[in-house]
Amino acid sequence: MKKSVIIVSFLVMLVLVSTCLSKSAKDIKSKEKVTITAANVAIDKKLDTICDNPKVAASSNPYDYTKDSQDYKDIVSSGDDALKYMLTKFDKSKENGLREYVMAIACSEMLKENIETKKWETGREWYENYIIANK
């Protein structure tokens, strides 16, 4: 009788512990998603600020938008997560405007590509070249 009470008690404790651990793991994953999402939102806001800069709005040169931009520097210094996010944005969109060009400049810098040998005229073209080169 005592053995069966001990065994049942042990099994109940085992179930409770595994349930608690499972909830903790889910909470951690949930917090990671929120952090990544918050970082992605921050990148999008910085891209908006760069592309909507009235000081260079008359320029047709995308490099003018990034030249003195702290937001651009922040994106580039964000590292791999920012790079992965922008590559995902390229993948999920067919847009090919100023925003994509700015993202291409940032990705290219993050990948330490030689700007002197660049072979692209648009952000979309940079992404397509990147995909071909990394197959």
Side-chain angles (χ1 to χ4, degrees):
M1 182 75 171
K2 283 186 177 182
K3 281 186 177 181
S4 56
V5 170
I6 291 173
I7 291 173
V8 169
S9 296
F10 176 76
L11 291 174
V12 168
M13 286 175 43
L14 184 62
V15 169
L16 290 173
V17 168
S18 66
T19 302
C20 289
L21 290 176
S22 174
K23 285 184 180 181
S24 294
K26 288 178 185 175
D27 290 345
I28 290 169
K29 287 180 183 177
S30 173
K31 287 177 185 173
E32 287 174 359
K33 287 179 185 175
V34 170
T35 302
I36 291 169
T37 301
N40 295 347
V41 168
I43 291 168
D44 281 330
K45 285 183 180 180
K46 289 179 187 304
L47 286 168
D48 288 342
T49 302
I50 294 165
C51 294
D52 295 338
N53 184 348
K55 293 179 184 175
V56 291
S59 176
S60 61
N61 183 352
Y63 288 92
D64 289 343
Y65 288 80
T66 62
K67 185 170 43 177
D68 295 321
S69 171
Q70 184 59 49
D71 288 314
Y72 173 78
K73 291 173 188 171
D74 292 345
I75 291 171
V76 171
S77 68
S78 295
D80 287 344
D81 287 339
L83 177 63
K84 289 175 191 173
Y85 177 65
M86 289 187 286
L87 291 172
T88 300
K89 287 191 67 88
F90 271 115
D91 185 54
K92 294 183 185 279
S93 167
K94 297 299 176 203
E95 296 294 320
N96 194 21
L98 175 60
R99 184 184 197 89
E100 289 71 30
Y101 206 113
V102 169
M103 289 191 320
I105 295 169
C107 290
S108 180
E109 185 172 337
M110 295 165 91
L111 292 166
K112 299 183 184 352
E113 294 177 342
N114 183 352
I115 198 68
E116 302 299 322
T117 61
K118 92 173 185 138
K119 295 179 176 144
W120 47 277
E121 299 295 321
T122 68
R124 175 69 39 202
E125 188 177 0
W126 174 84
Y127 177 69
E128 290 167 357
N129 290 343
Y130 173 82
I131 292 300
I132 291 168
N134 290 284
K135 279 190 174 181

